[in-house]
Structure formats: C-alpha cells, structure tokens
Amino acid sequence: MSQTPVVIDPNVANNLKDGSLFYGSFRKFGDMWFAVTFWNVLSCGLIYIFCGIIASIIARKFKFSTLVPVFTLLYGMIVGFSTGAISGLAIAAIYTTGPFIMSWHTAAAWGLGLTFFHVLINLGRGLFR
C-alpha cells in the first residue's frame, strides 16, 4: 500500500506558522508581546470579575452593588494590561534575542503565570502583615 502525500494549502501553512492567539507560533517581538499581554489581561479580567460578582452578592443591599463587577472588571483589565505589558516586554525580548519560538500555549502559560504571581503577591501582602 502506498500512502498519498498530504497537500497543504500554502496560505493555511503560513497562517499556522505565523501564529494566532489560539494556534501556531510567534516569531516577532510585537506578536510575542501582544500574546503575553492579551492572555494576562484576559486572565486578570476573569479573576477580577469573579471577585466583583462575589462582592456584589455580599453587598446586595447597597444601591450600586450591581455596578461592582463592571468596575472590578475594568480595574482588572487595567492591572492586567500594565503588568502584562511591562513583563511581556521582558519576556518577548528574551525570546527574540535567543533562538526561541513562542507557541500560543507558551504565551498563554506566561500570561496565566503572571496573573497567578500577581494574585500571590497581593494575597501574601495581606496575609503576612
């Protein structure tokens, strides 16, 4: 039995090689920075909106308690962007100066890891006073 060769459309191959936020890999500095920052903003936003929903449920007697998740989401996205942008610059610089290619799941791991580190620092600051 002979196997038939697999023919891949060149446009699809270039898109997979160049990368997206959900597949492929990143080779350029700006793409790596954007991917790490995106995943950090997304994960920080999700954590902060979850905390905002809990705070809204606890403080449901107050007049503006329904707006708490919106404001915490906005705050979480600002925090995620600022921490992700600064840390993403360093991460992307290391990946571009070395012979590394960043895959999309590596960028997601960096973004989630930065969020986890941010949460640990803030929880630890309150717990160990």
Side-chain angles (χ1 to χ4, degrees), residues 6-127:
V6 177
V7 178
I8 298 175
D9 182 22
N11 293 332
V12 173
N14 286 336
N15 288 341
L16 287 174
K17 182 178 67 177
D18 291 342
S20 165
L21 290 174
F22 303 105
Y23 62 85
S25 58
F26 307 104
R27 300 176 193 283
K28 298 178 188 172
F29 177 82
D31 294 339
M32 292 180 195
W33 174 81
F34 181 74
V36 171
T37 304
F38 169 79
W39 285 106
N40 195 14
V41 168
L42 183 71
S43 58
C44 272
L46 289 175
I47 292 212
Y48 273 85
I49 197 163
F50 177 70
C51 293
I53 290 170
I54 291 173
S56 179
I57 290 170
I58 291 172
R60 65 181 169 267
K61 296 178 186 176
F62 298 108
K63 183 177 181 181
F64 297 109
S65 66
T66 56
L67 295 176
V68 170
V70 174
F71 290 123
T72 56
L73 173 66
L74 291 174
Y75 180 74
M77 291 177 74
I78 291 169
V79 166
F81 181 76
S82 61
T83 59
I86 294 168
S87 302
L89 286 172
I91 293 167
I94 290 169
Y95 269 81
T96 54
T97 55
F100 305 118
I101 297 172
M102 181 182 286
S103 62
W104 73 270
H105 51 81
T106 306
W110 275 110
L112 293 172
L114 289 170
T115 300
F116 180 71
F117 184 70
H118 170 74
V119 169
L120 278 181
I121 292 294
N122 285 322
L123 284 177
R125 193 176 61 178
L127 291 175

